[in-house]
Amino acid sequence: LSEDPLLAMTYNIIRPFKYEERYRLTIDSAMLCGVYGHCNNSMTVGMTVKGEKDYGHLIVAVQGLPVYGDSGRVIPAFMELLNSSGAPVAKTVVENGVATFRDMNPEKYYARIILDRNGNGMWDAGSYEKKLQPEQVFYFMLQFEIRQNWKIEEMWDISKSKPGEKPYELIKNKPKEDIKKKRDYREESKPRRSNSSTPGIRGLGI
């Protein structure tokens, strides 16, 4: 088992699964217990791995990664794929300027790169006491569309990206597109002149 780097209290099973194979996971009772002493019952879960052609692959060549001062050593970085809500669903380390995502479900994804200055594999918010800035995050402004049985190769020069700038679709508090004009009640209260004359009422003689 390996702790999931994106989801809290989640673990991944690390083993070489084969395409189009069926697997069964059996967990004995009292194998997992919570902080309040409640333990699990015995359970069996079945799962089937889809065929290789049912997945897609994404390979991103990353350029413009900054270096540590004058050392020339590139700052470590990792890339995350995000769903349409902006939640991370996959993560990989940028190795030799390349980020590779294999066996992804065919969907549309956004992407972001985190400069992992301390190399701990997670984003750090910085420290006021230690005078450390938050680790920089760069977003790819377009979506990646992964299709079945496709391998997509893209290039991303993050030196042309602004730190923290998100695609419009991922901005939660979007600016109002239509600004309503405020009513001028003082102007509305002024009497208006009519351009048409009201005809008088004539009496009818009998």
Side-chain angles (χ1 to χ4, degrees):
L1 294 179
S2 175
E3 187 174 0
D4 194 288
L6 301 176
L7 302 176
M9 301 180 65
T10 302
Y11 288 83
N12 298 321
I13 301 174
I14 307 300
R15 63 152 297 159
F17 292 102
K18 296 181 179 181
Y19 298 114
E20 300 181 354
E21 288 286 343
R22 300 183 63 182
Y23 296 89
R24 183 175 61 185
L25 173 65
T26 301
I27 302 176
D28 200 357
S29 59
M31 289 293 295
L32 303 172
C33 297
V35 294
Y36 298 106
H38 301 293
C39 300
N40 70 287
N41 298 323
S42 60
M43 60 181 299
T44 299
V45 179
M47 57 183 178
T48 302
V49 179
K50 294 185 292 186
E52 183 177 6
K53 295 182 179 180
D54 294 323
Y55 298 102
H57 314 290
L58 173 65
I59 301 175
V60 182
V62 181
Q63 297 180 347
L65 288 172
V67 298
Y68 289 110
D70 298 329
S71 66
R73 188 164 60 93
V74 176
I75 297 176
F78 59 88
M79 183 182 295
E80 294 178 342
L81 293 185
L82 316 174
N83 60 19
S84 58
S85 300
V89 296
K91 176 181 178 180
T92 188
V93 176
V94 179
E95 295 182 331
N96 299 321
V98 178
T100 303
F101 295 91
R102 298 190 180 278
D103 297 331
M104 297 297 301
N105 287 321
E107 294 180 12
K108 293 182 179 180
Y109 300 91
Y110 292 97
R112 66 185 177 193
I113 285 180
I114 292 88
L115 299 184
D116 191 16
R117 286 184 172 273
N118 57 6
N120 65 350
M122 58 184 296
W123 177 79
D124 292 289
S127 172
Y128 178 79
E129 296 179 355
K130 297 180 180 180
K131 298 182 179 180
L132 296 176
Q133 295 290 333
E135 291 180 331
Q136 289 184 318
V137 182
F138 298 87
Y139 286 82
F140 195 73
M141 302 307 291
L142 302 176
Q143 276 186 320
F144 295 113
E145 184 176 1
I146 297 180
R147 301 180 181 181
Q148 290 182 341
N149 200 29
W150 275 49
K151 182 176 72 173
I152 302 175
E153 296 182 352
E154 289 284 351
M155 182 177 295
W156 183 5
D157 186 354
I158 70 168
S159 65
K160 298 180 181 179
S161 302
K162 296 181 180 179
E165 183 180 11
K166 295 182 179 181
Y168 181 80
E169 293 77 9
L170 296 183
I171 299 176
K172 294 183 179 180
N173 297 322
K174 295 182 175 62
K176 293 182 179 180
E177 297 179 356
D178 298 327
I179 301 176
K180 294 183 179 180
K181 185 178 180 180
K182 294 183 179 180
R183 295 178 61 182
D184 191 343
Y185 292 97
R186 290 181 299 179
E187 187 67 25
E188 293 180 5
S189 63
K190 294 180 180 180
R192 297 182 180 181
R193 296 180 60 183
S194 176
N195 294 327
S196 60
S197 59
T198 303
I201 301 177
R202 297 181 179 180
L204 297 178
I206 299 177

